Amino acid sequence: DAKTTQPPSMDCAEGRAANLPCNHSTISGNEYVYWYRQIHSQGPQYIIHGLKNNETNEMASLIITEDRKSSTLILPHATLRDTAVYYCIVITKDAGNMLTFGGGTRLMVKP
Amino acid sequence: GAVVSQHPSWVICKSGTSVKIECRSLDFQATTMFWYRQFPKQSLMLMATSNEGSKATYEQGVEKDKFLINHASLTLSTLTVTSAHPEDSSFYICSAKGGGNTIYFGEGSWLTVV
């Protein structure tokens, strides 16, 4: 699976949009971009995933660049409860269930 | 949506005893589940792959005799930490693939060995 690079930490003001970048320059054509987050002392929570088109659900939006070498997770109106570590993971859907976690981005939403 | 549940959420045990952690897929069947361990301020590290009806596959450096995994049914995998020591204290998390090929995680189980 392709390696991902994320900034170790970010701050965001409550109510503002949080834009979390992820670099995956070695991504291959059949690999998806998945985003999970982990709130302190809990198991990771699925947020969203995509292949090449931008995706949106009730939690977030995922913007994937045309060359697919990077993506951005957008939380449109961050709340204090969005404070968590966000993981960007690249994986093929038929590779099984294993996910390899990098360091992630620790997002701190401040009042 | 798919839900993965772990039990217990918190456990404290004496050094030298064994502890069993359960991972259940509540509304779907999972032929494969994964067990992760996470130390404070670190990322999740894969320990082993639990396969229904067959032996688990362990990652390099993980002792199979110490971390016993049993996947006796399509909805239940158990991780037993045998002869636990304080250095085994950690956050243990399982995962399984649900509908739509999305991977879901359990709530995690905190183990403290005293």
Side-chain angles (χ1 to χ4, degrees), chain A residues 67-106:
Chain A
D67 63 7
R68 303 211 320 123
K69 292 185 177 183
S70 65
S71 61
T72 301
L73 178 74
I74 301 173
L75 307 178
H77 305 286
T79 69
L80 299 179
R81 289 183 296 178
D82 292 323
T83 293
V85 179
Y86 288 77
Y87 294 99
C88 167
I89 301 167
V90 171
I91 189 170
T92 55
K93 270 201 170 182
D94 58 358
N97 308 343
M98 184 181 74
L99 297 179
T100 301
F101 287 82
T105 296
R106 187 172 298 274

Side-chain angles (χ1 to χ4, degrees), chain B residues 17-57:
Chain B
T17 62
S18 296
V19 175
K20 180 185 288 186
I21 301 170
E22 295 183 346
C23 177
R24 295 182 184 274
S25 56
L26 296 186
D27 57 2
F28 65 96
Q29 295 181 332
T31 56
T32 305
M33 292 182 176
F34 291 84
W35 286 96
Y36 294 80
R37 179 170 54 183
Q38 185 177 33
F39 292 108
K41 297 186 177 181
Q42 295 185 22
S43 189
L44 283 77
M45 295 297 295
L46 180 67
M47 298 176 65
T49 303
S50 173
N51 303 301
E52 189 268 335
S54 65
K55 291 183 179 180
T57 305

Side-chain angles (χ1 to χ4, degrees), chain B residues 40-100:
Chain B
K41 297 186 177 181
Q42 295 185 22
S43 189
L44 283 77
M45 295 297 295
L46 180 67
M47 298 176 65
T49 303
S50 173
N51 303 301
E52 189 268 335
S54 65
K55 291 183 179 180
T57 305
Y58 291 83
E59 295 300 301
Q60 190 173 13
V62 178
E63 301 175 58
K64 63 179 182 180
D65 294 329
K66 180 168 185 59
F67 299 99
L68 300 180
I69 291 174
N70 183 279
H71 197 150
S73 77
L74 289 171
T75 59
L76 173 65
S77 174
T78 61
L79 169 69
T80 301
V81 183
T82 63
S83 187
H85 291 284
E87 57 266 30
D88 298 323
S89 298
S90 185
F91 190 47
Y92 292 87
I93 310 166
C94 68
S95 72
K97 180 182 285 189

Side-chain angles (χ1 to χ4, degrees), chain A residues 6-12 19-21 84-86 103-108:
Chain A
Q6 299 176 253
S9 64
M10 290 181 63
D11 289 345
C12 177
N19 298 296
L20 294 96
V85 179
Y86 288 77
T105 296
R106 187 172 298 274
L107 175 68
M108 179 73 72

Side-chain angles (χ1 to χ4, degrees), chain A residues 6-93:
Chain A
Q6 299 176 253
S9 64
M10 290 181 63
D11 289 345
C12 177
E14 187 179 18
R16 305 296 293 268
N19 298 296
L20 294 96
C22 179
N23 185 291
H24 31 78
S25 58
T26 61
I27 192 170
S28 61
N30 63 343
E31 289 184 312
Y32 288 74
V33 180
Y34 276 79
W35 283 84
Y36 285 79
R37 73 179 181 184
Q38 187 177 26
I39 297 171
H40 183 62
S41 299
Q42 297 181 25
Q45 177 189 22
Y46 166 79
I47 302 174
I48 199 168
H49 74 277
L51 182 62
K52 54 183 179 181
N53 296 323
N54 296 338
E55 302 287 343
T56 296
N57 62 20
E58 65 277 5
M59 290 184 67
S61 294
L62 174 60
I63 308 298
I64 302 174
T65 58
E66 192 169 343
D67 63 7
R68 303 211 320 123
K69 292 185 177 183
S70 65
S71 61
T72 301
L73 178 74
I74 301 173
L75 307 178
H77 305 286
T79 69
L80 299 179
R81 289 183 296 178
D82 292 323
T83 293
V85 179
Y86 288 77
Y87 294 99
C88 167
I89 301 167
V90 171
I91 189 170
T92 55
K93 270 201 170 182

